[in-house]
Amino acid sequence: MKVLIVFYSMYGHIYKMAEAVAEGVREIEGAEAELRQAPETLSEEILTKMGAIEPQKSFSHIPVCTVDELVEADAIIFGTPTRFGNMCGQMKQFLDATGKLWMSGKLVGKVGSVFTSSATQHGGQESTILTFHVPLLAHGMVIVGLPYAFKGQMRIDEITGCSPYGASTIAGGAGERLPSGNELDGARFQGRHVASIASKLSGSQ
């Protein structure tokens, strides 16, 4: 039972969350987690000016995802930073390339889930995940979020991401804040939860 984790990360925050999601997936017996990056759309010159080249070296070993790989997965968990309350352009362009899969119904019945990051505490994390659900629903995917069974999203003793729509992290205006322990726990829970549901739907359990 294969779970594909497709992410775009500019400075490494979403990558760290993706690793935690993969850890959660692997807790389910028979579940295989594979990480893939969404294709980059920015030039090396622009990425250099944005200070992204050095951070991206830490996950440069992760292969770039192809559209055809989506078909082979039982579940797909997408990770994207927030851009004005929506997914980033790189992820949007990748999804826009899945029209052929939509025409042939190749993703119908597969589990779909989303996690995200934003610079600020109220920077559009929930709207990013909710609007990301729209193309997944158009593909006929079964949407899975982060249920309140993950009690960490109800904490008020610290500033933290995560909502019932999916795991999330707050990166800070300059990217200075890395995912907290609670946020990584939320990502692991989401990965485990998605894999459990996908396993049942695929008949593995």
Side-chain angles (χ1 to χ4, degrees), residues 98-109:
T98 62
K100 189 175 180 180
L101 302 185
W102 172 75
M103 288 288 290
S104 56
K106 294 293 186 181
L107 303 185
V108 173

Side-chain angles (χ1 to χ4, degrees), residues 107-195:
L107 303 185
V108 173
K110 295 183 184 295
V111 176
S113 194
V114 184
F115 61 97
T116 190
S117 69
S118 64
T120 61
Q121 185 179 2
H122 303 291
Q125 295 183 358
E126 294 186 359
S127 63
T128 295
I129 294 175
L130 289 170
T131 53
F132 202 125
H133 287 167
V134 175
L136 304 188
L137 288 166
H139 271 293
M141 300 185 76
V142 179
I143 303 299
V144 174
L146 180 66
Y148 279 111
F150 173 63
K151 302 300 184 183
Q153 64 181 290
M154 300 179 70
R155 294 180 65 168
I156 58 172
D157 61 323
E158 66 176 63
I159 294 175
T160 184
C162 295
S163 73
Y165 316 113
S168 59
T169 184
I170 303 162
E176 70 276 15
R177 182 183 183 275
L178 294 176
S180 69
N182 188 57
E183 292 165 343
L184 293 172
D185 284 345
R188 291 186 192 96
F189 191 106
Q190 186 170 350
R192 185 168 60 250
H193 183 55
V194 168

